[in-house]
Amino acid sequence: MDNPSEPTPVRVGVLGASSIARRRTLPAMRDLPEVTIVAIASRDPQKAEQFADDFDCAPVHGYERLLDRDDIDAVYVSVPNALHHLWARRFLECGTHVLAEKPLTTRAADTAELARLAAERGLVLRENITFVHHGMHRRVAELLAAGRIGRLRHIDASFCFPPLPASDVRYRPELGGGALLDAGIYPVRLAQYFLGDDLSVAGAVLRDDPETGVDVAGSALLVAAAGETVTLTFGFEHGYGARYTLWGSTGRLAVDRAFTPPATLSPLLRIDEQDHAEEIVLPAEHQFASSVASFAEAVRRAQDTGADPGHAAWAATTLRTAELLDRIAGSATRVTSGKRP
Ligand SMILES: NC(=O)c1ccc[n+]([C@@H]2O[C@H](COP(=O)([O-])OP(=O)(O)OC[C@H]3O[C@@H](n4cnc5c(N)ncnc54)[C@H](OP(=O)(O)O)[C@@H]3O)[C@@H](O)[C@H]2O)c1
């Protein structure tokens, strides 16, 4: 018998049998009482069947057919970047809440359009940037606010990893590939997390790969309203690294495995001062589960009240991220990958 004190789970349809859905998001959804995976849509019927078996839901052949279902409250969009805008818009137009993979779209104008549409319809729209849900960054923010490294002067953040298989969607410009949208978005959002949305782009470099036509690496310099600076580096032609350092007036605070830590990893936070070094081990957390739970909570509130109270704050930050990414792409000095003589 249903327990009346337990809220009804949010019924989710999945669009795209993607790698990230299989590895991270769907296992998290399957274990969360707040959501039920109802159906998975793939262009490939066999993939749909396989995912449906693995996640105990209905297979759907073709994305259009997921739109036709009347038994889903929300959709999880995890198709290539350039398709997020189209499919998020179509589901919002049908009255479905949307959790879309990052980046929400490939242009700030498209992000603004989706945010407006969601607000008009009283629907929840979220971009699945999961690291902001991990408690390690809240702990860093608390230490910063307590003056542990003095006044914040500079942030240095990077997200880099080795080359991917040649068939990866990240090498397809027409699908919204490239390192800036895929990896650069993390340090940009990190800068917003600690310095707020009032950031501007002071300079950028993107390295383009002439063979595929996507940027495979880059760096940028951002400046905050109060004069703090941010250097950020991203790419997929490097050794793996996902880390940041906050430089304060009296010390430094550094975090490794900052953006996509496994759910079992206890993050290590290091503080360095003139005559003191300290390491703090923080609890492991499943940031994908937290991101989905936060989305489900927002959906339940919107179902009760007809509006998403968190929309304005979320939309302002997400739109700013998209604008900064646009600005980096538009202003960057372009260099090409090449061999040194
Ligand atoms: N939040 C995170 O930490 C995180 C991590 C990794 C990736 N992501 C994001 O998740 C999304 C998917 O990334 P992924 O690495 O999981 O990619 P992926 O494994 O290549 O999956 C993309 C899926 O999109 C569907 N698709 C639709 N049209 C396609 C086309 N023309 N070409 C190829 N696939 C097409 C395919 O599903 P069907 O064949 O089933 O239709 C495919 O499985 C991206 O937006 C990425 O940025 C987020």
Side-chain angles (χ1 to χ4, degrees), residues 17-20 42-43 47 63 80-81 84 101-102 170:
S18 71
S19 163
I20 194 63
S42 171
R43 298 161 308 161
K47 244 164 92 182
Y63 299 161
N81 300 340
H84 295 177
E101 265 310 336
K102 43 60 57 177
R170 289 159 186 76

Side-chain angles (χ1 to χ4, degrees), residues 2-16:
D2 287 345
N3 179 350
S5 65
E6 289 205 355
T8 318
V10 173
R11 300 167 302 169
V12 176
V14 177
L15 190 86

